[in-house]
Amino acid sequence: MGFMDKFKNRFKQDENAEEVSTKYKEGMKKSRQTFSGKINDLIARYRKVDEDFFEELEEVLISADVGVTTVMDLVEELKMEVKRQNIKDTKDIKEVISEKLVEIYYGDDDEKIEGLKLDKEDLSVILVVGVNGAGKTTSIGKLANQLKSQGKKVVLAAGDTFRAGAIEQLEVWGERAGVDVIKQGAGSDPAAVIFDGIKSAKAKNADVLICDTAGRLQNKVNLMNELSKVKRVIEREVPNAPHEVLLVLDATTGQNALNQAKTFSEATNVSGIVLTKLDGTAKGGIVLAIRKELNIPVKYVGLGEKIDDLQEFNAHAFVYGLFADMLEETE
Amino acid sequence: MAFEGLADRLQSTIKKITGKGKVSEQDVKEMTREVRLALLEADVNFKVVKDLIKRIKERAIGQEVMESLTPGQQVIKVVKEELTELMGGENSKIAVADRAPTVVMMVGLQGAGKTTTTGKLANLLRKKHNRSPLLVACDVYRPAAIKQLETLGEQLTMPVFSMGTEANPVDIATKAIEKAREEHHDYVIIDTAGRLHVDNELMDELQEIKANVKPDEIFLVVDSMTGQDAVNVAESFNEQLDLSGVVLTKLDGDTRGGAALSIKAVTDKPIKFAGMGEKLDQLEAFHPERMASRILGMGDVLSLIEKAQTNVDEKQAKELEEKMRTMSFTFDDFLEQMGQVKNMGPLDDLMAMIPGASKMKGLKNAQLDEKQLSHVEAIIQSMTKKERQDPSLMNASRKKRIAKGSGTSVSQVNRLLKQFDEMKKMMKQMTNMQKGKKGKGMKFPFM
Ligand SMILES: Nc1nc2c(ncn2[C@@H]2O[C@H](COP(=O)(O)OP(=O)(O)OP(=O)(O)O)[C@@H](O)[C@H]2O)c(=O)[nH]1
Ligand SMILES: Nc1nc2c(ncn2[C@@H]2O[C@H](COP(=O)(O)OP(=O)(O)OP(=O)(O)O)[C@@H](O)[C@H]2O)c(=O)[nH]1
Ligand SMILES: [Mg+2]
Ligand SMILES: [Mg+2]
């Protein structure tokens, strides 16, 4: 069985693959159009697999923010593969390109789909971190709504006590999702707010507590320490918590996203990424490098500003979304 | 995993290429390969990189190698010059309308920093230009966006005009202008909702606001961490709104900021301000040359360029030393020296370049505070020519005038005068000490 068949079969086996894939295809339309569009362009223009072809392939990938190092490695591997399989025609290299990219997405754990790891019996705590304006508060609103619709009792803690209007913003999302928001006044100690949130979530017998935090740039040592302190409070108060530490990453971000992932991981041991703003034209290709170099999986993608614009990340669907055009063409 | 600066990348190449004469094609090839990687890693758009590399090649190949340079250094010099040229000159002017109020409109993607920058700009207009701005809340979409701007208004004790979330942003903007006229505000700063450049409906809304209020400035606010997509965003906003300038935010982070170069290249609009933090006084004039250095990998490259210009430097340094020895060093010299240092990029990076400086704890504080440097600059600039040449002229009324002119206090002026005096004494000691050692240090006399 060829790679593509295997891939498609696996995809079809997925229960709600069809639905997921439609949503993805829609949300990812713009990125996919530009990305796959470019590769198709490229393939149409070049008939032969030569140096020029690889140079331009490099550019297509770099323009998707995949990152120079990853791209160079990938192209090296591709060149070898092309030699090994004696591929001459650009038509035939299509599969090899997708195969390699898919490989990076999947890493070693081929079949694993990464959902949230929550405690089924007791209170689960999710800590949400990230740089300024990435989409933390919005994603929390969306996630609260999603979890609630799955029948979970959700409480939010307004741990951003710094930014103007941050508490009120989370309160609006709490109202929209129909969940309680625990808060203190602006300027109060974030760790104290989170502590309050935990106590209150326990008292309410909640299933999930999601903690918002103020945006911070990863090179601010004091602020990163503050975040570690918040995490320690959670660890102390709830066994096995935080169950998830989600780093919210703006898909528009370039290579700095790697620094973000690295430094936030050091401070809070990030367990997953929420990749926001994928409804724009940015492709979020840096996720490839983050997975490859730091092995942090993407758990959700943000595809808009509305409450249901959050999709669970599904590696199969994500890749399918990126390469849908190409797959359809090969059929 | 951390990104190497260009200088790190080039160290080995530079050392390899040491023959004198003309810069050969091979030299340039080896160098530009590294330059390309460094620029791409810094998020400069790949098309912009391509153009740059082409120009650099054209210029560098066959050039005479300057005395005291290696061909490698010569190529770096060309790279730096090309980047600086592309970044353009410094321009942090804000328009003034013939008839008040001047209208400024902030636009950009979600979360870029528009609302925060609206507050910062208002603060700057009042503080530096003595203006009285009215802030306008036109973001009716994002939860608590109005509240956010109102809170900033409270922090600044400045009025915010809003009509709630039910009103139409075009109406809000139009009414705000009327209100500003009635209440004699000379500036109106309009905060708009974040939007995607491909969201036609919301882009139309901006065009409609523009048509109604005829803004004197339209600033695109861009996150400096933006990757390759920066060109699409900037090009699209510029096409649809004809921007007057750009504000680059979150430059207090550790991003290389290649987006700056991309944006400048596709829009040819000046980047006027840099956001340097979340607080309302953390907006600075944008320094294109510093940005060029930052994109290239900061201070380390500068040290190479510095070397590349030793000819000039040595002569200046000699003059300076002479002046110091004879105690004829004036405030004018001081200012010139300070300008040179400021041109070299963020002070922290500069410190990192000076051997041993990082170990000298005393150097890490007040004197290297950039804000303080700009105060010092303002004070000196408020002195008359005579005063600068001869600080002994200074008396109470002169000091008062200088403090007023520079927006500082008499005690700040006094402190500077005292420091200057002490510094001169110290310099004399140092130059005397060094004479015996044939050293030609003293690059940064006031440190
Ligand atoms: N288009 C789009 N916009 C988004 C998405 N997620 C968030 N946003 C927008 O991005 C902006 C910033 O979102 P916030 O949720 O306030 O970001 P944050 O990380 O909490 O910001 P700070 O708390 O200030 O650091 C808002 O205008 C959101 O509506 C997304 O997936 N797509
Ligand atoms: N560190 C740092 N943070 C900044 C800077 N400018 C803005 N921010 C932060 O970035 C986040 C987003 O800023 P906002 O002003 O809300 O951005 P916006 O463009 O108005 O966002 P939307 O209205 O949702 O599109 C906030 O957390 C700000 O505090 C800056 O120069 N440095
Ligand atoms: Mg937030
Ligand atoms: Mg805003």
Side-chain angles (χ1 to χ4, degrees):
Chain A
M1 195 157 57
F3 165 77
M4 279 303 151
D5 297 326
K6 219 162 63 191
F7 177 71
K8 275 181 214 155
N9 273 351
R10 187 166 58 193
F11 193 74
K12 274 176 195 141
Q13 278 161 18
D14 205 326
E15 241 179 81
N16 49 3
E18 197 115 328
E19 187 199 339
V20 176
S21 111
T22 323
K23 276 185 191 161
Y24 257 89
K25 279 170 97 170
E26 232 162 73
M28 298 284 302
K29 218 169 180 172
K30 279 173 212 113
S31 354
R32 199 187 65 234
Q33 270 168 1
T34 34
F35 188 84
S36 289
K38 271 184 201 156
I39 291 191
N40 279 333
D41 245 27
L42 179 63
I43 286 165
R45 252 180 303 129
Y46 290 93
R47 302 265 312 283
K48 272 172 69 183
V49 181
D50 53 13
E51 273 303 313
D52 284 351
F53 172 82
F54 282 117
E55 197 172 298
E56 196 151 347
L57 177 67
E58 247 179 64
E59 283 175 355
V60 169
L61 293 172
I62 284 169
S63 75
D65 286 320
V66 172
V68 196
T69 321
T70 315
V71 171
M72 303 279 247
D73 290 352
L74 183 83
V75 169
E76 261 335 289
E77 282 177 40
L78 273 174
K79 280 182 184 169
M80 268 163 36
E81 197 64 27
V82 163
K83 227 187 204 158
R84 206 173 57 80
Q85 297 187 24
N86 197 19
I87 297 173
K88 294 233 165 59
D89 204 316
T90 47
K91 264 203 336 264
D92 305 321
I93 200 180
K94 235 189 233 185
E95 277 205 15
V96 186
I97 296 174
S98 7
E99 193 177 346
K100 280 282 168 227
L101 276 171
V102 164
E103 230 174 73
I104 296 178
Y105 265 111
Y106 288 152
D108 295 328
D109 30 39
D110 208 78
E111 298 296 323
K112 209 160 73 197
I113 291 178
E114 320 252 13
L116 288 183
K117 292 192 188 75
L118 301 181
D119 195 313
K120 294 204 171 64
E121 325 264 284
D122 279 320
L123 175 67
S124 297
V125 183
I126 303 175
L127 178 63
V128 180
V129 302
V131 296
N132 307 81
K136 292 175 291 300
T137 309
T138 310
S139 300
I140 289 171
K142 296 171 178 176
L143 187 59
N145 186 56
Q146 218 171 74
L147 292 172
K148 195 192 171 210
S149 69
Q150 291 164 14
K152 297 203 166 70
K153 187 171 170 69
V154 181
V155 173
L156 308 182
D160 181 357
T161 58
F162 180 77
R163 211 209 61 207
I167 300 170
E168 290 84 354
Q169 185 187 0
L170 191 71
E171 281 184 302
V172 174
W173 279 110
E175 261 166 52
R176 286 182 183 177
V179 305
D180 286 340
V181 177
I182 307 303
K183 56 158 189 179
Q184 290 180 13
S188 49
D189 176 15
V193 179
I194 302 301
F195 180 77
D196 252 19
I198 293 171
K199 273 213 315 215
S200 174
K202 279 180 179 167
K204 288 176 204 269
N205 234 334
D207 300 304
V208 186
L209 172 72
I210 313 180
C211 308
D212 194 9
T213 61
R216 66 202 73 216
L217 299 177
Q218 69 276 11
N219 61 336
K220 310 261 159 112
V221 177
N222 291 344
L223 296 179
M224 295 310 278
N225 287 341
E226 178 191 89
L227 208 54
S228 303
K229 185 177 151 203
V230 167
K231 191 183 169 230
R232 278 199 301 277
V233 168
I234 298 172
E235 280 166 347
R236 200 183 61 210
E237 297 302 317
V238 183
N240 299 323
H243 299 75
E244 291 279 359
V245 178
L246 297 179
L247 171 70
V248 179
L249 210 73
D250 183 333
T252 340
T253 313
Q255 299 307 298
N256 192 250
L258 261 177
N259 278 1
Q260 291 174 24
K262 185 164 179 272
T263 316
F264 274 98
S265 279
E266 280 161 12
T268 60
N269 199 13
V270 172
S271 62
I273 285 170
V274 180
L275 187 64
T276 61
K277 309 185 195 174
L278 260 186
D279 47 324
T281 52
K283 290 118 208 154
I286 193 66
V287 165
L288 271 173
I290 292 175
R291 248 194 97 102
K292 196 170 160 235
E293 294 193 26
L294 301 167
N295 204 24
I296 305 175
V298 183
K299 303 228 166 176
Y300 289 94
V301 296
L303 295 166
E305 298 184 80
K306 292 196 293 299
I307 197 159
D308 52 1
D309 288 335
L310 185 78
Q311 301 287 323
E312 227 175 272
F313 183 78
N314 176 315
H316 295 227
F318 183 75
V319 174
Y320 186 79
L322 280 179
F323 294 98
D325 295 344
M326 294 174 70
L327 289 179
E328 272 145 30
E329 255 183 51
T330 27
E331 270 170 25
Chain B
M1 196 195 70
F3 302 111
E4 280 175 289
L6 181 60
D8 297 332
R9 288 189 161 283
L10 292 175
Q11 278 312 331
S12 54
T13 331
I14 289 175
K15 281 196 195 114
K16 257 193 310 201
I17 312 172
T18 44
K20 282 275 167 63
K22 284 194 190 335
V23 176
S24 78
E25 200 166 337
Q26 191 53 34
D27 296 339
V28 175
K29 233 184 176 166
E30 282 192 40
M31 301 287 291
T32 47
R33 190 161 45 228
E34 299 299 324
V35 172
R36 174 172 174 264
L37 290 180
L39 291 175
L40 286 174
E41 272 176 0
D43 288 325
V44 182
N45 183 268
F46 76 95
K47 285 186 203 142
V48 177
V49 173
K50 220 175 182 176
D51 290 349
L52 258 170
I53 296 292
K54 199 169 147 236
R55 273 208 305 281
I56 290 165
K57 274 188 181 155
E58 275 165 12
R59 262 193 61 188
I61 295 174
Q63 252 194 10
E64 297 280 343
V65 176
M66 263 169 67
E67 201 60 35
S68 85
L69 287 191
T70 67
Q73 289 169 335
Q74 180 95 15
V75 177
I76 300 206
K77 192 163 169 282
V78 173
V79 172
K80 174 81 197 299
E81 279 166 14
E82 279 293 328
L83 282 203
T84 309
E85 161 97 28
L86 181 56
M87 287 301 319
E90 195 166 322
N91 172 3
S92 58
K93 285 195 207 87
I94 307 175
V96 185
D98 294 337
R99 190 171 151 241
T102 305
V103 180
V104 181
M105 193 171 153
M106 314 298 285
V107 302
L109 293 184
Q110 287 94 344
K114 295 172 293 300
T115 309
T116 310
T117 309
T118 300
K120 289 177 176 179
L121 206 56
N123 192 29
L124 185 110
L125 279 166
R126 182 174 62 189
K127 254 192 178 157
K128 270 210 173 148
H129 306 270
N130 219 357
R131 302 288 185 173
S132 140
L134 176 67
L135 310 184
V136 185
C138 275
D139 181 355
V140 298
Y141 308 104
R142 165 172 163 174
I146 298 176
K147 175 71 194 178
Q148 185 187 359
L149 192 65
E150 280 172 353
T151 306
L152 297 182
E154 267 164 42
Q155 286 171 9
L156 293 166
T157 51
M158 249 183 226
V160 174
F161 182 82
S162 76
M163 289 165 60
T165 52
E166 295 305 312
N168 175 336
V170 183
D171 292 339
I172 302 173
T174 315
K175 293 245 164 61
I177 310 286
E178 285 169 29
K179 174 96 170 174
R181 265 198 199 110
E182 278 163 28
E183 297 184 353
H184 306 290
H185 291 287
D186 43 18
Y187 272 82
V188 174
I189 312 180
I190 302 174
D191 180 30
T192 66
R195 65 204 71 212
L196 295 173
H197 53 293
V198 286
D199 184 332
N200 293 332
E201 202 177 311
L202 284 183
M203 290 306 285
D204 285 349
E205 178 192 281
L206 288 182
Q207 287 182 335
E208 221 179 305
I209 296 179
K210 178 182 175 180
N212 274 272
V213 304
K214 310 219 161 40
D216 305 279
E217 293 271 17
I218 304 180
F219 286 138
L220 177 67
V221 180
V222 188
D223 186 326
S224 59
M225 296 178 279
T226 310
Q228 296 285 320
D229 204 37
V231 289
N232 301 326
V233 176
E235 204 163 26
S236 189
F237 269 97
N238 193 38
E239 262 169 32
Q240 297 182 58
L241 293 163
D242 188 18
L243 307 168
S244 63
V246 176
V247 180
L248 211 56
T249 62
K250 310 179 198 175
L251 269 170
D252 46 324
D254 59 8
T255 181
R256 278 284 155 75
L261 209 59
S262 306
I263 294 165
K264 185 73 197 342
V266 298
T267 63
D268 200 28
K269 297 290 162 69
I271 301 176
K272 293 195 168 179
F273 297 99
M276 298 298 294
E278 297 187 70
K279 301 209 188 78
L280 293 173
D281 57 356
Q282 292 175 318
L283 187 72
E284 296 180 2
F286 179 77
H287 304 292
E289 202 182 342
R290 274 191 213 179
M291 195 67 220
S293 311
R294 177 169 178 157
I295 291 169
L296 281 175
M298 303 202 162
D300 42 5
V301 169
L302 279 163
S303 64
L304 293 171
I305 308 298
E306 283 302 293
K307 272 192 219 139
Q309 288 159 353
T310 17
N311 288 341
V312 200
D313 274 352
E314 250 162 55
K315 192 166 152 258
Q316 281 184 349
K318 266 222 182 83
E319 270 175 30
L320 196 68
E321 237 176 280
E322 187 57 36
K323 279 183 171 168
M324 283 192 277
R325 209 169 18 244
T326 56
M327 293 283 280
S328 63
F329 186 74
T330 68
F331 269 115
D332 276 322
D333 300 320
F334 188 73
L335 204 60
E336 190 185 312
Q337 283 294 298
M338 221 164 72
Q340 279 191 14
V341 170
K342 277 183 98 176
N343 277 338
M344 291 178 202
L347 281 174
D348 291 344
D349 305 325
L350 205 62
M351 289 304 292
M353 270 168 44
I354 302 169
S358 57
K359 291 192 197 97
M360 295 167 69
K361 284 218 177 72
L363 284 179
K364 278 238 150 196
N365 46 31
Q367 274 158 302
L368 294 168
D369 184 312
E370 302 207 16
K371 212 191 297 169
Q372 202 158 323
L373 267 191
S374 64
H375 282 161
V376 168
E377 206 171 32
I379 291 174
I380 299 176
Q381 274 160 352
S382 298
M383 294 179 185
T384 63
K385 219 174 187 167
K386 274 201 178 134
E387 286 165 350
R388 289 189 209 176
Q389 303 286 338
D390 183 7
S392 68
L393 286 174
M394 222 54 85
N395 58 27
S397 76
R398 283 178 192 260
K399 285 177 193 170
K400 226 167 157 180
R401 192 205 73 242
I402 292 169
K404 202 166 167 229
S406 58
T408 59
S409 64
V410 172
S411 70
Q412 272 172 303
V413 176
N414 274 331
R415 206 178 314 138
L416 176 65
L417 289 170
K418 194 160 160 252
Q419 277 175 355
F420 185 73
D421 203 45
E422 280 170 3
M423 194 188 65
K424 269 173 80 169
K425 279 184 203 142
M426 205 175 70
M427 277 179 184
K428 186 146 189 259
Q429 283 173 3
M430 281 170 78
T431 41
N432 286 342
M433 252 162 56
Q434 281 199 337
K435 245 164 65 183
K437 287 194 285 174
K438 79 167 187 148
K440 47 180 182 278
M442 301 312 296
K443 277 224 158 127
F444 312 109
F446 60 86
M447 277 188 174

